[in-house]
Amino acid sequence: MMKYKGTFITLFPIFMKKIMIEQYGGAVTKKALKKAPAIYRDMLSKVDDIGADNPMAANIYMAFVLMAIWKAADGEIDTESYRTVVKRLLTETPFRKFIGKSDLRTPEGIEHAKEKYHRMQAWVDAHPQYKDKTWDFNFDETKHQEGSYYHFTRCPINSFARKYGYLEVLPVCCELDHMLTEACHGKLLREYTLATGGEVCDYWIVSEDSVAAKNWHGVRK
């Protein structure tokens, strides 16, 4: 059970309402946004506790809002159009000001990102009671010459989605990784996600102007 926090379940519907009405109409939007908070609370009551102060906890709080709204629509929100809604949320609304504060086009930006990921792992190391429930960072600075690389073999959102029937919408939540990286002028290059049956979620993050980004032909997952 995760501690309830209402930030995202309060803000996201405010920013999403207009976009959703344009995409799905007023009736579907009203139903989904009305039912979502109760579903969100129920999801938090069932998910494994990874620590409310865990720097990765925001991933759960954010993803669960999107999953709850999708669930609340009772099948009237398809995942492809929902991906468009989420992208518009991050690029066309005031939520945009909360992301994209780093510049991954610079060496300093890449180093700042690396330090952030290592601090997240350091938090887990300092809180062993959550070690087997939260994400596991596996770093490999030798794998690629450009950017930063790490991967996960464990994701509590993936585990929850498989257990409680949210696997269909989970890839939309994974798309947040790409969108948030692009907001920082970076590119996430990945081949696998746990959501689509991979053994890992890999994160190779480079500048949007890098050779790797320009030559990348992998599948966006």
Side-chain angles (χ1 to χ4, degrees):
M1 178 177 181
M2 284 287 289
K3 177 181 178 181
Y4 175 80
K5 290 187 178 182
T7 304
F8 290 116
I9 192 61
T10 300
L11 291 179
F12 272 30
I14 293 172
F15 296 148
M16 293 174 68
K17 184 176 180 179
K18 181 175 182 293
I19 301 171
M20 289 182 63
I21 290 174
E22 292 175 1
Q23 186 72 50
Y24 306 113
V28 171
T29 299
K30 182 178 180 180
K31 176 176 69 173
L33 297 185
K34 182 177 181 179
K35 293 174 59 178
I39 295 173
Y40 178 73
R41 281 185 177 273
D42 181 64
M43 294 168 72
L44 290 176
S45 74
K46 293 176 179 176
V47 71
D48 286 339
D49 182 15
I50 67 166
D53 296 328
N54 187 328
M56 291 291 284
N59 292 41
I60 289 179
Y61 291 120
M62 187 184 305
F64 274 20
V65 172
L66 300 178
M67 293 161 73
I69 291 172
W70 171 83
K71 183 75 170 180
D74 296 324
E76 295 186 83
I77 293 179
D78 67 277
T79 54
E80 282 307 309
S81 66
Y82 200 37
R83 183 176 280 107
T84 299
V85 169
V86 173
K87 184 174 183 178
R88 291 184 61 189
L89 166 69
L90 296 184
T91 58
E92 298 179 13
T93 74
F95 187 75
R96 177 67 178 79
K97 70 180 181 180
F98 296 109
I99 61 176
K101 295 182 179 180
S102 299
D103 190 343
L104 295 172
R105 294 171 297 184
T106 67
E108 294 80 10
I110 291 291
E111 285 304 313
H112 176 75
K114 289 181 181 180
E115 292 172 3
K116 179 180 70 174
Y117 307 141
H118 280 281
R119 285 197 302 271
M120 290 177 174
Q121 181 57 44
W123 187 96
V124 177
D125 294 339
H127 299 80
Q129 67 270 36
Y130 301 118
K131 188 175 182 64
D132 295 330
K133 297 178 180 179
T134 189
W135 287 264
D136 59 324
F137 284 85
N138 297 274
F139 300 99
D140 187 349
E141 301 295 345
T142 67
K143 190 173 179 66
H144 298 289
Q145 292 184 339
E146 293 184 89
S148 174
Y149 176 86
Y150 61 93
H151 70 263
F152 299 124
T153 64
R154 182 175 58 250
C155 169
I157 301 175
N158 172 69
S159 299
F160 180 90
R162 291 180 179 278
K163 184 175 181 179
Y164 293 104
Y166 290 87
L167 191 58
E168 181 182 345
V169 74
L170 182 58
V172 177
C173 299
C174 297
E175 187 76 6
L176 287 170
D177 294 330
H178 292 279
M179 296 176 188
L180 294 173
T181 303
E182 289 166 7
C184 297
H185 303 289
K187 186 80 171 179
L188 170 59
L189 311 181
R190 72 166 21 145
E191 297 181 278
Y192 312 103
T193 60
L194 296 169
T196 54
E199 295 183 359
V200 303
C201 284
D202 55 337
Y203 290 75
W204 180 19
I205 298 173
V206 298
S207 164
E208 65 183 10
D209 300 325
S210 68
V211 173
K214 294 176 180 177
N215 292 337
W216 181 254
H217 298 292
V219 177
R220 180 171 175 137
K221 296 181 179 179

